[in-house]
Amino acid sequence: MSGIAGLYHTDGRPADRHVLRRLLDAQSHRGPDGEGRWDGSSISLGHLALDTTPEARCEDQPLTHSGDDLVLTADARIDNRDELTSRLERGRDDGPPATDAELILRAYRRWGDESPEHLRGAFAFAIWDASRNRLFCARDRMGLRPLHYCWSEPHFVFGSEINTVLAHPAVSREINETRVADFLARIHLSKEYTFYEDISRLPPGHHAVINRAGMHTSAYWTLTLPDERKLGSDEAYGEAFREVFAGAIKDRLRADGDAGTFLSGGLDSSSITAMAHKISSGPLHTFSVTHEQIPEVDESAYIRAVLDRGDYRPHLVAGGNHDLLADFPGHLASQNKAPLAHTPSLMQLLHEAVHDAGLNVVLDGHGGDEVTSHGHGYPRELARNRRWGALIQDLRGSLQNKDPSWPGAFAAYWLRYGRLPNRIGTGLLRLLQSVGLSVGKREPPRLISADLARRTQMADRRRRHRRQAPAAAPTERQCHFRQVSGTMQPGALEELNQMASLRSVEPRFPFWDPRVVEFCLSLPSDVKRTRGIGRQILRSGLRTVLPERIRARTDKSEFRPSVIQALTRSSLDVQTVIEGMEDALAPYVDMNVARSTTDRFAQDPSGASPADVVSVLQLLRLGFFRIKSRNPKDYQEPQTAS
């Protein structure tokens, strides 16, 4: 993982070298292993290196080709190196293997705008093509590497991070109210927007051409729902998945030194860790957070179940060793946004542990829930097909001793999809909800102010969100597709990338390998979920790899108790901090709702509803961000209580 940056004036005016210096300085943490720059007449490109593969140590960027007619700056890890080498280097004399940057540049020279289609891996890059007087940019299929930009004709500025683009003196800090409104409404409708009006993201699977004619962006790859896969038996599905999953992990273990894994004790991280250990030749480093002071959250027993089965070098991080409130401002200073993560300081502790162990590559289980699927759309599919017996069996397996109860959930499905006219069934459902029948999640506090909701047409945006939501899909396969292809996932991957870069660590995500994603999307519904238990492809595919205690696990520890403890044991007082944010929050937030929500939390933190805990965290994340973005130079962290 590296940092890239550049500026280009399409009208031919000279590029200011001092401005490129500012862009690189704004993301200097991404380049502990070196820096390079290339200056043309109207363009300047920069690169910051973090060497995470054996070939990267031989790499000098920006990389030039044929007398500067092509110049590349890339943040990339290319996985199909053997295939590309075979196709691009025929007749080449023996010598050192090509670096990933060299393969990208040769691919562009061979295939031009179609070159990203031939690349597999994680990448974001820009190529100055002097012969065509244009800049070409591209991003990998899943959005594993970030690329932010500002296009204000005739000026184009880009970088790996929002901070990079904001470092250009001509880029405005005007806030994007639509993005703020979506954040408060807990919806996400774009893979392009950011919290700043002037700054956008190149979407995953897209490339862009910038020249005197303007900026043109187009998709070179789009995830589609594949045909359903028919293999005949659970064993055949499991074996096929295991082969694809092992390939994804093997690609991500290519490192300049040891690679590690995050190990939480859950199914995702345990699957990656166990498979990585099976593939690796030596001991595997693992990094885990423990909560010994909060038994209902602590996963130590599950972590040990994995560690006891192999040769590992475990690194344990105490989950109580962070001050969530006091740490928020420092985290937001690097993100320059209201983050998606509820507890970013915990991730920072893990990345610090990876760095302190002397590693710069770690495999992360993010995305496992979405990619391997809990099968949440399957009960709806059964109800629509009026398979009531199968639906009861499914709900009893998934909702035993839970809220909503399985009879309540069944009643809701029957009223909606049974033989009653839809209007009558829906009316009865609302009546039962009004008298207290538990049939679904309770409505969270509506933090968004009426004025902001009106300005951003929030009612229409909510309707659009509901139409696009996984819950609106008629079948499990379509529900699964919406979960994986949704607009929020690239933002989460960008955020995790940026957090890790602060500690010179490259996170890698096996579940987001397109081969794994497409395989899981091809599975029939009943292969993904059986008797109410989802993620069956992981359970069957890794039967011989995972400890049985992990493989058979159907629960997941709730984050709420640890967050509540982190908030209440902070050196700062939640209520006082939010009160101090009122001027920053008032243009966007219904402050009466904010105060009542915060009051409920302060009066009984341990009894606070999940919706109230999430709302308090939303207020904190947005408030700290707005205070900083309004006064970036004068911003000071809040004072601890005396």
Side-chain angles (χ1 to χ4, degrees):
M1 182 174 67
S2 301
I4 61 174
L7 56 149
Y8 172 40
H9 303 303
T10 61
D11 61 357
R13 75 182 63 183
D16 189 333
R17 299 181 180 185
H18 299 292
V19 173
L20 181 63
R21 174 76 271 151
R22 293 176 60 168
L23 268 58
L24 292 172
D25 287 346
Q27 56 178 10
S28 59
H29 50 273
R30 299 183 78 91
D33 296 324
E35 175 189 310
R37 57 182 296 160
W38 179 90
D39 297 300
S41 58
S42 58
I43 183 167
S44 289
L45 300 177
H47 185 266
L48 297 162
L50 173 63
D51 298 335
T52 59
T53 65
E55 298 80 13
R57 290 204 174 275
C58 304
E59 199 168 74
D60 289 319
Q61 292 194 53
L63 180 65
T64 60
H65 188 281
S66 297
D68 290 359
D69 73 324
L70 295 179
V71 187
L72 165 78
T73 181
D75 172 17
R77 186 200 74 250
I78 301 301
D79 293 335
N80 59 330
R81 289 177 48 82
D82 292 343
E83 174 195 347
L84 290 173
T85 299
S86 174
R87 299 182 68 181
L88 296 171
E89 299 189 17
R90 290 174 183 167
R92 183 179 180 229
D93 293 336
D94 291 340
T99 67
D100 289 355
E102 288 171 335
L103 290 173
I104 293 171
L105 204 53
R106 290 172 188 166
Y108 178 80
R109 197 162 189 83
R110 168 77 66 86
W111 296 300
D113 292 4
E114 297 178 357
S115 56
E117 301 172 33
H118 297 271
L119 305 176
R120 180 163 56 79
F123 57 82
F125 64 80
I127 296 175
W128 169 244
D129 189 335
S131 66
R132 303 171 71 178
N133 200 33
R134 69 174 200 167
L135 186 67
F136 179 83
C137 302
R139 195 170 172 206
D140 67 74
R141 288 164 169 77
M142 306 310 298
L144 301 168
R145 299 292 168 90
L147 201 161
H148 296 84
Y149 69 89
C150 171
W151 167 240
S152 179
E153 195 169 3
H155 313 298
F156 182 75
V157 183
F158 73 91
S160 296
E161 299 181 2
I162 290 176
N163 280 343
T164 315
V165 184
L166 282 174
H168 194 291
V171 175
S172 167
R173 289 180 173 266
E174 182 182 353
I175 296 299
N176 182 345
E177 286 195 337
T178 300
R179 180 67 189 93
V180 174
D182 284 358
F183 174 81
L184 290 170
R186 302 180 192 175
I187 65 178
H188 208 284
L189 293 176
S190 171
K191 295 182 180 181
E192 299 181 56
Y193 66 5
T194 72
F195 280 88
Y196 294 92
E197 283 283 359
D198 269 11
I199 302 177
S200 300
R201 300 173 291 155
L202 185 65
H206 280 63
H207 57 58
V209 172
I210 304 94
N211 56 22
R212 290 192 177 188
M215 178 178 179
H216 176 70
T217 302
S218 59
Y220 68 84
W221 181 85
T222 302
L223 182 65
T224 58
L225 185 61
D227 293 338
E228 188 170 273
R229 187 181 300 259
K230 298 292 187 181
L231 295 182
S233 69
D234 290 344
E235 291 75 17
Y237 283 111
E239 183 178 345
F241 171 77
R242 187 164 58 252
E243 181 179 347
V244 173
F245 191 53
I249 290 177
K250 182 179 179 181
D251 285 344
R252 283 155 183 78
L253 288 173
R254 180 170 67 99
D256 185 28
D258 291 337
T261 66
F262 288 149
L263 175 60
S264 68
L267 190 57
D268 302 328
S269 64
S270 299
S271 297
I272 290 174
T273 298
M275 184 61 78
H277 179 267
K278 182 179 177 67
I279 295 171
S280 300
S281 57
L284 181 70
H285 291 263
T286 64
F287 300 87
S288 309
V289 174
T290 60
H291 294 275
E292 294 182 359
Q293 305 303 316
I294 317 175
E296 65 268 37
V297 173
D298 190 51
E299 301 273 66
S300 296
Y302 295 105
I303 293 169
R304 285 194 298 271
V306 176
L307 297 177
D308 287 345
R309 286 173 59 115
D311 187 7
Y312 293 98
R313 293 180 181 172
H315 305 263
L316 304 180
V317 176
N321 288 349
H322 70 117
D323 188 325
L324 180 57
L325 270 178
D327 290 343
F328 255 130
H331 175 70
L332 293 175
S334 65
Q335 288 278 355
N336 244 311
K337 56 178 276 192
L340 296 169
H342 294 311
T343 54
S345 50
L346 265 183
M347 291 302 300
Q348 289 178 326
L349 289 176
L350 280 169
H351 292 133
E352 285 177 6
V354 175
H355 179 267
D356 291 346
L359 278 63
N360 62 13
V361 170
V362 65
L363 275 59
D364 189 319
H366 173 75
D369 283 331
E370 294 83 3
V371 173
T372 61
S373 182
H374 286 274
H376 291 313
Y378 193 41
R380 185 166 53 255
E381 180 179 321
L382 294 173
R384 290 176 70 95
N385 294 324
R386 295 175 178 169
R387 295 175 57 190
W388 304 118
L391 177 62
I392 289 173
Q393 188 179 66
D394 183 278
L395 295 176
R396 291 184 67 176
S398 62
L399 297 177
Q400 195 70 41
N401 301 319
K402 293 181 180 179
D403 184 25
S405 65
W406 75 261
F410 178 80
Y413 281 116
W414 187 85
L415 288 170
R416 183 169 183 182
Y417 296 109
R419 296 189 179 279
L420 288 174
N422 185 61
R423 184 168 56 86
I424 296 175
T426 302
L428 285 172
L429 178 58
R430 289 174 179 166
L431 176 64
L432 290 172
Q433 288 174 319
S434 70
V435 298
L437 178 66
S438 179
V439 294
K441 294 182 179 179
R442 295 173 175 82
E443 184 74 14
R446 292 209 169 189
L447 295 174
I448 187 171
S449 72
D451 191 39
L452 179 62
R454 184 179 61 255
R455 293 199 305 269
T456 58
Q457 300 180 314
M458 182 48 64
D460 289 339
R461 297 183 68 78
R462 286 183 187 275
R463 282 192 289 271
R464 179 181 162 196
H465 171 73
R466 286 194 294 270
R467 288 195 301 269
Q468 296 176 355
T475 67
E476 156 54 23
R477 294 191 70 230
Q478 290 169 314
C479 174
H480 187 188
F481 176 75
R482 292 187 185 190
Q483 288 176 320
V484 171
S485 62
T487 53
M488 190 174 73
Q489 295 304 332
L493 291 167
E494 291 157 5
E495 195 168 299
L496 290 168
N497 178 287
Q498 202 281 332
M499 279 193 278
S501 74
L502 294 173
R503 300 295 181 265
S504 299
V505 171
E506 178 181 308
R508 298 178 179 176
F509 306 98
F511 284 110
W512 288 112
D513 186 303
R515 296 168 297 180
V516 176
V517 172
E518 290 175 333
F519 179 91
C520 291
L521 285 175
S522 74
L523 296 173
S525 301
D526 56 0
V527 172
K528 290 182 279 190
R529 179 171 169 124
T530 303
R531 295 180 179 271
I533 307 302
R535 316 194 62 199
Q536 290 294 333
I537 195 62
L538 265 183
R539 302 178 198 278
S540 62
L542 303 188
R543 183 181 300 274
T544 61
V545 178
L546 280 173
E548 183 61 19
R549 183 173 188 178
I550 302 291
R551 197 186 71 81
R553 187 179 182 188
T554 60
D555 65 329
K556 179 178 284 191
S557 293
E558 188 189 358
F559 80 98
R560 188 164 50 109
S562 62
V563 174
I564 291 172
Q565 184 189 78
L567 289 171
T568 55
R569 293 188 180 183
S570 171
S571 55
L572 306 173
D573 175 68
V574 174
Q575 204 163 16
T576 302
V577 169
I578 293 179
E579 286 173 359
M581 295 174 167
E582 289 202 4
D583 288 346
L585 292 171
Y588 314 106
V589 171
D590 184 327
M591 293 312 301
N592 290 326
V593 175
R595 293 186 195 103
S596 61
T597 302
T598 308
D599 287 347
R600 286 196 301 272
F601 177 84
Q603 289 168 10
D604 183 15
S606 60
S609 70
D612 279 352
V613 174
V614 171
S615 294
V616 167
L617 291 170
Q618 278 186 290
L619 292 169
L620 291 167
R621 285 139 62 201
L622 180 61
F624 280 131
F625 163 65
R626 283 302 291 126
I627 291 170
K628 178 189 181 298
S629 60
R630 292 196 304 177
N631 304 289
K633 293 182 179 178
D634 301 329
Y635 179 64
Q636 294 183 355
E637 297 183 10
Q639 299 297 308
T640 59
S642 58

